[in-house]
Amino acid sequence: MRKKAVPVGIEDFERIINEDYYYVDKTMLIEELLVNRAPVTLFTRPRRFGKTLNMSMIKYFFDVKNKEENKKLFENLKIFNSEYMSEQGKYPVIFISLKDLKADTWKECLKRLKLFIFDLYVEFEYIREKMNEWDKRKFEKVLYEQEDADYIMSLKFLADSLYKYYGEKVIILIDEYDAPIINAFDKGYYNEAINFFQTFYSSALKTNNSLKYGILTGITRIIKEGIFSGLNNLKVDTILNKKYSEYFGLLESEVIEMLDYFGMKYKIEEVKEWYNGYLFGESEVYNPWSIVNYIDNGEIKAYWANVSGNTLLENMLDHAGESVYDDLKRFTDGESIEKYISDGTTIKSLLNNDDEIWQVLLYSGYLTKDEKQKEIDVTSEYTDVYNLRIPNKEIRKYFGNMFLNRFFGTEVKTNILIKALENGDIKKFEKTLGEIMINMLSHFDLDKEMEKIYQVFMIGLVGFLMGKYEIISNDESGYGRYDLAMIPIKSNEKAYLMEFKISKTKKGMEERAQKALKQIDEKKYDTKLKARGIKNILKIGVAFYGKEVKVVFK
């Protein structure tokens, strides 16, 4: 029997079912939405975790257009036997996805938005037949792209018009509601964008008697922007909530079933180490994008981070203080760290407060809640304190690659650096390390931010060398703590111990490097490595002066 196709990048529910792609059944999300009956629900989840596909599924379920054809899509799925199947094909549905609404200026953004609204009106142009003259004129102003068309109220007007046409209230689905706002902030036209979207969204969702249900998805919980001010019928569901936790991402049972179906020869523990580790509510979740691509390619590697989009995060890192880099290093070392996560934020506050970066990293999928969450005193004002950690190896590698490309120059430089080290070519190692330092100094101040530079260096090495070396820094061994150890996964290969020093003068570099090397011996930093059966250990002393580097070894 012919197998179903692997649904890489397929986000249209009808296409997945009709063209025989493999589908993980998430249709009971519909029943749960109908049981809870929240007038407006906002789901915040990371990119590529099934938000668009779920919204497409919801559209095909409720849409009054093509009711009988759409019903067939659900015949072999869980919702088909639910008492709520009676709601199928009952309501007019407006479905818009804003994830690709990106532009460098507000003028260009508004131009694209107008084209987007035009396409939406074309989809429903048949409703003009029942309109009075005034409504028809308003509708056609958008349809014919006239200058005085009311785009800011166009979503509400379309909902009102559909309600009049069908005599049934309307379901509005807005996918990636925050994408154009985040892009606007990144490109410098935030004020214009927020003024438009405040009215565009709230008019359709807040004071709309034509609305049956509104469902939005996004990544960030920017509920203090004024977009939803006064919207007391809004239910926000984040990755911290228990409700709906199994509907975005893949459960382990779903992953195993999928791998078995495609006859994958897999080691579930290895798949788990790379793609699992997310805790949504109380559900342990795998990254669906990574799993689908792993099945398609048959190779364990990083898939999600390269397509997840991170301009806001990189912008925040440019403004981050030393403590952020210190914590990022601890995260990449596998630590769980306690952080305060607020109940909402504004985009503007993200760059003015180092604490906000953890909220972005959490909601974007780069961090997750730890299973070992400490019990929080509910009477405390700090009930939004969570233990956070990096979820898996894929994200650890992402941080390494991001730091390599952003601060080291390129991944190539790091490859040359490590090859020189492995080949014992210390001169090339010294030269390449110097080139890397020059690039990093374009981002940081050596005199004031040496600790930050050091943490960036460590994070980059962790990601780059994952699978070949274990990178440990500031660990206790012998009579002190060494700066850096590169410990081979195979104990018969060479290990590297490094100690770093700052020199106040160019002449003093050699002396400081020799002192660093001597410290490794005097404090017996090789004790733990020898205890692990590693005999071949290269000891390296490194001294920095401005943009120059001096390396000695034994």
Side-chain angles (χ1 to χ4, degrees):
M1 190 176 80
R2 191 177 70 175
K3 284 193 179 295
K4 294 178 182 290
V6 184
V8 178
I10 311 296
E11 296 177 315
D12 182 75
F13 177 75
E14 181 187 39
R15 185 180 174 192
I16 281 185
I17 302 301
N18 284 341
E19 297 184 19
D20 209 26
Y21 286 92
Y22 189 95
Y23 177 65
V24 177
D25 192 342
K26 300 289 186 180
T27 56
M28 293 307 283
L29 168 62
I30 296 167
E31 178 175 288
E32 197 159 335
L33 284 164
L34 290 169
V35 167
N36 293 317
R37 291 197 297 278
V40 183
T41 305
L42 166 62
F43 291 108
T44 65
R45 296 294 189 279
R47 282 197 178 95
R48 309 280 182 170
F49 267 73
K51 297 191 300 294
T52 303
L53 179 56
N54 276 343
M55 292 286 263
S56 176
M57 171 193 73
I58 291 167
K59 174 194 181 297
Y60 284 108
F61 181 85
F62 285 114
D63 204 345
V64 69
K65 285 193 295 183
N66 303 317
K67 174 180 178 178
E68 293 307 315
E69 284 299 306
N70 290 342
K71 186 176 183 179
K72 294 174 186 175
L73 300 175
F74 296 90
E75 282 180 354
N76 298 311
L77 300 173
K78 294 174 184 174
I79 191 67
F80 200 75
N81 297 316
S82 165
E83 63 180 287
Y84 290 96
M85 196 64 196
S86 60
E87 294 287 289
Q88 187 270 326
K90 198 172 174 182
Y91 306 99
V93 177
I94 299 171
F95 176 35
I96 57 176
S97 180
L98 301 177
K99 63 181 175 181
D100 295 321
L101 185 61
K102 296 174 182 177
D104 291 332
T105 65
W106 173 241
K107 184 179 179 181
E108 182 62 28
C109 179
L110 190 58
K111 181 181 176 182
R112 293 182 185 182
L113 187 61
K114 287 177 178 179
L115 289 171
F116 177 86
I117 295 168
F118 165 78
D119 287 341
L120 193 62
Y121 272 51
V122 167
E123 181 185 344
F124 295 105
E125 64 88 22
Y126 61 88
I127 68 175
R128 285 186 296 169
E129 66 187 56
K130 286 189 179 180
M131 285 182 173
N132 61 42
E133 283 304 310
W134 294 108
D135 284 349
K136 188 181 289 186
R137 190 177 297 177
K138 284 174 69 176
F139 192 94
E140 289 176 349
K141 280 181 180 181
V142 172
L143 204 57
Y144 299 134
E145 301 176 72
Q146 295 177 9
E147 281 189 19
D148 58 343
D150 190 357
Y151 290 100
I152 202 165
M153 296 294 289
S154 59
L155 188 58
K156 182 183 187 303
F157 176 67
L158 181 59
D160 290 343
S161 301
L162 284 166
Y163 181 33
K164 290 175 185 176
Y165 184 88
Y166 284 104
E168 288 283 357
K169 292 194 173 186
V170 179
I171 291 174
I172 298 177
L173 308 175
I174 304 175
D175 189 38
E176 303 287 4
Y177 86 99
D178 55 346
I181 299 166
I182 292 171
N183 182 72
F185 183 81
D186 189 48
K187 300 296 184 181
Y189 57 89
Y190 168 84
N191 289 334
E192 294 94 330
I194 203 69
N195 287 338
F196 181 91
F197 285 105
Q198 277 177 343
T199 305
F200 184 72
Y201 290 148
S202 63
S203 63
L205 299 170
K206 184 170 69 175
T207 55
N208 190 354
N209 293 326
S210 307
L211 183 71
K212 180 68 176 179
Y213 297 118
I215 303 171
L216 303 93
T217 70
I219 297 167
T220 50
R221 189 181 177 182
I222 49 173
I223 60 173
K224 292 182 180 176
E225 300 289 359
I227 292 174
F228 306 128
S229 60
L231 189 62
N232 52 15
N233 59 349
L234 174 69
K235 169 65 179 172
V236 181
D237 185 88
T238 76
I239 57 176
L240 299 172
N241 297 105
K242 295 177 185 178
K243 201 176 285 185
Y244 304 109
S245 60
E246 70 268 37
Y247 297 114
F248 298 88
L250 299 175
L251 305 178
E252 185 163 292
S253 58
E254 294 169 336
V255 170
I256 291 172
E257 187 177 333
M258 195 174 183
L259 292 169
D260 285 339
Y261 175 84
F262 286 102
M264 295 283 292
K265 291 182 179 178
Y266 62 90
K267 295 177 181 175
I268 191 62
E269 287 309 312
E270 189 179 14
V271 173
K272 195 169 188 170
E273 283 178 358
W274 273 83
Y275 308 127
N276 189 28
Y278 293 95
L279 198 64
F280 291 180
E282 293 180 349
S283 297
E284 199 172 283
V285 173
Y286 284 73
N287 185 320
W289 177 260
S290 300
I291 290 295
V292 166
N293 278 276
Y294 166 61
I295 289 170
D296 192 47
N297 289 282
E299 182 184 352
I300 289 276
K301 66 176 187 179
Y303 293 104
W304 174 81
N306 297 328
V307 297
S308 59
N310 47 45
T311 55
L312 178 61
L313 174 57
E314 291 186 4
N315 205 336
M316 293 178 76
L317 285 172
D318 280 343
H319 295 79
E322 192 175 290
S323 64
V324 169
Y325 287 89
D326 184 44
D327 282 341
L328 282 173
K329 173 58 181 57
R330 290 171 62 197
F331 278 125
T332 56
D333 282 343
E335 286 189 43
S336 171
I337 306 175
E338 197 175 80
K339 293 293 178 186
Y340 171 75
I341 303 299
S342 65
D343 64 351
T345 188
T346 67
I347 291 290
K348 280 186 174 179
S349 73
L350 293 178
L351 295 188
N352 299 323
N353 184 352
D354 276 352
D355 290 337
E356 296 283 9
I357 197 170
W358 310 119
Q359 180 180 180
V360 173
L361 287 167
L362 174 66
Y363 288 144
S364 300
Y366 299 104
L367 294 175
T368 189
K369 186 175 68 169
D370 200 325
E371 300 92 333
K372 306 179 189 72
Q373 177 65 36
K374 291 179 183 175
E375 287 296 321
I376 303 295
D377 179 5
V378 293
T379 62
S380 167
E381 61 180 303
Y382 300 109
T383 54
D384 292 327
V385 174
Y386 297 90
N387 288 340
L388 305 180
R389 59 171 172 78
I390 286 180
N392 52 44
K393 282 188 174 181
E394 181 174 32
I395 303 303
R396 287 183 73 194
K397 189 164 184 66
Y398 158 76
F399 276 114
N401 289 341
M402 183 184 75
F403 278 71
L404 288 178
N405 293 324
R406 193 165 177 78
F407 301 117
F408 286 32
T410 64
E411 203 172 308
V412 174
K413 280 266 197 302
T414 314
N415 199 29
I416 294 169
L417 183 79
I418 301 306
K419 288 293 181 191
L421 199 56
E422 291 174 336
N423 295 333
D425 190 344
I426 297 302
K427 283 295 175 190
K428 182 170 273 190
F429 176 81
E430 183 179 82
K431 179 177 179 292
T432 309
L433 184 57
E435 290 169 354
I436 287 171
M437 291 304 297
I438 288 170
N439 190 75
M440 290 171 75
L441 288 170
S442 67
H443 293 273
F444 304 124
D445 182 337
L446 181 66
D447 294 328
K448 296 178 182 177
E449 301 182 291
M450 187 59 208
E451 183 64 23
K452 189 190 285 189
I453 292 172
Y454 169 71
Q455 302 298 4
V456 166
F457 186 63
M458 297 302 109
I459 294 166
L461 286 181
V462 165
F464 186 75
L465 296 171
M466 189 180 293
K468 190 170 184 182
Y469 293 95
E470 183 182 354
I471 307 298
I472 300 176
S473 65
N474 200 32
D475 191 32
E476 197 170 325
S477 181
Y479 301 111
R481 292 179 179 273
Y482 53 73
D483 281 337
L484 170 66
M486 289 170 50
I487 305 170
I489 302 301
K490 298 174 182 176
S491 61
N492 62 332
E493 294 182 356
K494 189 183 291 183
Y496 303 90
L497 269 174
M498 296 187 204
E499 188 69 22
F500 302 102
K501 298 288 182 188
I502 299 291
S503 178
K504 293 182 180 178
T505 64
K506 187 174 181 178
K507 282 185 179 180
M509 289 178 72
E510 174 78 29
E511 183 185 343
R512 293 294 288 167
Q514 291 291 350
K515 184 174 181 180
L517 189 62
K518 189 178 179 182
Q519 185 175 316
I520 294 173
D521 280 334
E522 286 179 345
K523 297 201 174 182
K524 300 186 184 300
Y525 288 159
D526 58 0
T527 302
K528 277 191 176 180
L529 274 67
K530 287 178 177 177
R532 290 171 65 160
I534 298 169
K535 297 175 182 176
N536 193 357
I537 303 169
L538 184 66
K539 300 165 185 174
I540 304 168
V542 183
F544 298 104
Y545 172 71
K547 297 178 180 179
E548 297 187 45
V549 179
K550 181 64 183 175
V551 178
V552 295
F553 68 99
K554 64 182 285 190

